[in-house]
């Protein structure tokens, strides 16, 4: 009997919490250390699937928005969901995959479907290392590497809101988290990154670790403190209810009531509260 997917990623733009949550859920559902059937109904991953089919899955790791599956025989599968990539995990019998399913992983216990990824490739261990070397620290799996984030952030002349999207500065932050993290830090998004103090950058890292780890636990980005919106718990909040500024242009700030402002930073939409995130510091100094 088919009971529907256990877990479906429906958000448009997966951030780092989604990859880490998939590591957790997929490795538990499929089971590590046993042969996995690998196929590509869509056909675009047929050769890679043939190479992996029947091998034992030994482990899974996430680094930012990148997923690495480690297979028997030192083969690696590299996946990046991109903007529209989506996993489905089915325990027990699974439905017939749709024709656009790039990848199917099947064990005795569960089936994983993947559609629409930006990257789905078999790579070597050296290639995995090279990808990782280009990425900044991952706040979820490397919480003690904050010094590397601070070092890299403070060399950037671009807006801090743009630097947070630079995966070589920090791995796993996307458009929702960057807006929320800057709100929670009280930082004006267009502040040049290299004008932050080391203390502010360190505090931003610590906050990022807490927020992204909560995202892994809850499976969604819910940054709002329950008391700020008059509820007792984040459980059951929708994305719209659970954030302070993301996609809340012209709605009142949960803390001060000022209307949240929409702008553009680093070529992407950005929201901030002009009162809670004042444009202060060096940017306001007279010429
Ligand atoms: Zn405010």
């Amino acid at each position: 009997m088919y009971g529907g997917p256990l877990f479906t990623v429906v958000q448009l733009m997966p951030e780092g919490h989604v990859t880490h949550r998939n590591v957790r859920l997929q490795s538990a559902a499929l089971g590590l250390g046993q042969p996995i059937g690998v196929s590509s109904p869509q056909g675009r991953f047929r050769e890679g699937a043939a190479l992996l089919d029947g091998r034992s899955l030994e482990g899974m790791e996430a680094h930012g928005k990148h997923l690495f599956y480690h297979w028997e025989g030192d083969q690696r599968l590299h996946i990046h969901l991109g903007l529209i990539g989506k996993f489905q995990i089915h325990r027990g019998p699974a439905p017939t995959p749709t024709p656009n399913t790039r990848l199917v992983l099947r064990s005795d216990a569960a089936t994983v479907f993947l559609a629409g990824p930006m990257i789905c490739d078999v790579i070597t261990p050296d290639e995995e290392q090279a990808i990782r070397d280009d990425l900044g620290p991952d706040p979820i799996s490397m919480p003690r590497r904050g010094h590397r984030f601070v070092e890299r952030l403070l060399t950037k002349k671009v807006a801090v809101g743009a630097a947070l999207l630079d995966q070589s500065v920090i791995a796993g932050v996307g458009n929702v988290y960057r807006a929320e993290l800057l709100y929670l830090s009280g930082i004006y998004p267009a502040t040049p990154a290299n004008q932050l103090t080391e203390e502010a950058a360190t505090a931003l890292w610590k906050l990022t670790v807490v927020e992204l780890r909560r995202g892994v636990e809850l499976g969604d980005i819910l940054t709002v403190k329950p008391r700020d919106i008059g509820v007792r718990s984040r459980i059951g909040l929708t994305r719209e209810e659970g954030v302070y500024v993301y996609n809340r242009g012209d709605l009142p700030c949960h803390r001060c009531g000022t209307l949240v402002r929409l702008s553009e930073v680093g070529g992407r939409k950005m929201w901030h509260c002009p009162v809670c995130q004042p444009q202060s510091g060096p940017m306001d100094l007279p010429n």
Side-chain angles (χ1 to χ4, degrees):
M1 197 185 81
Y2 166 58
L6 172 71
F7 170 63
T8 307
V9 176
V10 290
Q11 70 184 83
L12 280 177
M13 203 169 301
E15 303 194 24
H17 66 300
V18 170
T19 48
H20 282 276
R21 192 168 167 89
N22 269 289
V23 167
R24 185 186 293 186
L25 294 176
Q26 288 186 34
S27 51
L30 289 168
L32 299 179
Q34 55 173 314
I36 304 287
V38 184
S39 60
S40 179
Q42 180 199 38
R44 280 181 63 187
F45 185 60
R46 190 177 292 126
E47 283 178 28
L51 200 60
L52 301 176
D53 188 33
R55 288 179 197 260
S56 169
L57 178 61
E58 294 176 339
M60 284 181 71
E61 289 184 19
H63 190 147
K65 301 174 185 177
H66 297 257
L67 271 167
F68 301 100
Y69 297 66
H70 295 185
W71 302 85
E72 173 189 7
D74 245 1
Q75 299 286 352
R76 305 290 163 90
L77 170 62
H78 173 215
I79 288 172
H80 189 299
L81 291 171
L83 294 180
I84 58 164
K86 193 160 74 173
F87 281 114
Q88 285 187 354
I89 303 173
H90 303 273
R91 281 190 197 275
T96 305
T98 56
N100 69 344
T101 305
R102 180 83 57 91
L103 170 72
V104 175
L105 303 175
R106 198 183 299 273
S107 74
D108 289 341
T111 305
V112 173
F113 292 159
L114 169 65
M118 184 171 80
I119 296 170
C120 177
D121 285 331
V122 175
I123 60 171
T124 65
D126 285 348
E127 287 168 330
E128 175 183 335
Q129 193 57 51
I131 293 165
R132 286 174 173 259
D133 288 347
D134 286 342
L135 294 171
D138 180 321
I140 297 168
S141 56
M142 310 170 184
R144 296 178 192 282
R145 300 273 180 87
H147 56 282
R148 287 181 52 200
F149 164 72
V150 171
E151 279 167 22
R152 292 183 187 193
L153 183 71
L154 296 183
T155 64
K156 299 289 178 186
K157 293 175 183 165
V158 297
V160 60
L164 287 179
L165 292 182
D166 181 343
Q167 300 297 299
S168 72
V169 172
I170 185 169
V173 172
N175 212 32
V176 183
Y177 272 125
R178 73 161 180 168
E180 294 299 300
L181 292 166
L182 292 176
Y183 174 86
L184 288 165
S185 303
I187 296 172
Y188 180 65
T191 308
N194 64 0
Q195 290 181 14
L196 293 181
T197 63
E198 198 173 323
E199 291 72 28
T202 302
L204 181 57
W205 171 265
K206 288 178 179 171
L207 176 72
T208 305
V209 170
V210 170
E211 292 298 328
L212 267 72
R213 286 187 155 188
R214 186 191 309 117
V216 177
E217 296 302 322
L218 298 180
D220 202 354
I221 301 176
L222 300 175
T223 52
V224 83
K225 290 185 172 38
R227 66 170 181 272
D228 283 343
I229 57 167
V231 298
R232 289 188 176 178
S233 158
R234 294 184 180 90
I235 307 297
L237 293 180
T238 64
R239 163 68 60 80
E240 291 70 29
E241 294 166 333
V243 293
Y244 284 102
V245 289
Y246 177 77
N247 208 16
R248 293 194 70 250
D250 287 336
L251 292 172
C253 170
H254 291 313
R255 286 182 174 165
C256 75
T258 307
L259 298 186
V260 171
R261 201 168 286 174
L262 170 64
S263 62
E264 194 175 293
V265 176
R268 304 272 301 277
K269 284 183 180 176
M270 167 63 91
W271 295 263
H272 77 283
C273 171
V275 171
C276 296
Q277 296 163 269
Q279 184 178 341
S280 56
M283 294 191 62
D284 272 346
L285 292 176
N287 290 322

